Amino acid sequence: MSFSDVSMSTPGPSAPPEDLATFNPGVLLNLLQQQVIQHQDLMTAIQAQQQHQQVLMETFQIHLQNVAAAPNPAPALAPASIITVIANPTAKFPDPMAFTGKPSGVRAYIAEIES
């Protein structure tokens, strides 16, 4: 097969695709304008949300300043409970009764251990 035998039916780079023959620039422009409007709407919503968050942060900061500036409340009538933190707490249980090895005492022994 030689180069002259190859069919030249496939369009080369100079032939426009069929989609471009029906291309309407107005449709593309309309889609771009719609995307611009959606983008602007989203940006407006984001800015409103940021402003709302800013107001909330300012309100929270004022509240924290007021709490910090408030005088300490009078001590309660009941004594304050003291919490002790133990570094590695372990549960302590009493030793179970000694198992005698009799079959009649198995259920009582197991019940005591489970409780």
Side-chain angles (χ1 to χ4, degrees):
M1 182 199 270
S2 68
F3 182 73
S4 61
D5 295 336
V6 176
S7 171
M8 299 297 287
S9 63
T10 56
S14 62
E18 292 179 23
D19 291 343
L20 289 180
T22 60
F23 176 72
N24 184 352
V27 172
L28 180 61
L29 184 61
N30 188 22
L31 289 173
L32 288 173
Q33 287 173 342
Q34 288 177 358
Q35 284 185 341
V36 166
I37 291 170
Q38 288 176 350
H39 178 74
Q40 289 172 341
D41 290 345
L42 285 173
M43 290 303 294
T44 303
I46 289 171
Q47 288 172 349
Q49 200 171 36
Q50 287 174 339
Q51 289 173 351
H52 180 67
Q53 288 175 346
Q54 184 67 30
V55 169
L56 286 175
M57 288 299 295
E58 290 171 0
T59 303
F60 185 66
Q61 286 176 346
I62 291 170
H63 176 71
L64 286 177
Q65 290 171 354
N66 289 341
V67 168
N72 291 335
L77 296 176
S81 61
I82 298 174
I83 299 174
T84 305
V85 178
I86 300 173
N88 190 6
T90 56
K92 301 278 183 175
F93 296 99
D95 292 334
M97 67 177 182
F99 181 60
T100 61
K102 295 181 182 175
S104 60
V106 170
R107 290 188 194 272
Y109 181 74
I110 292 174
E112 183 178 353
I113 291 175
E114 286 178 344
S115 67

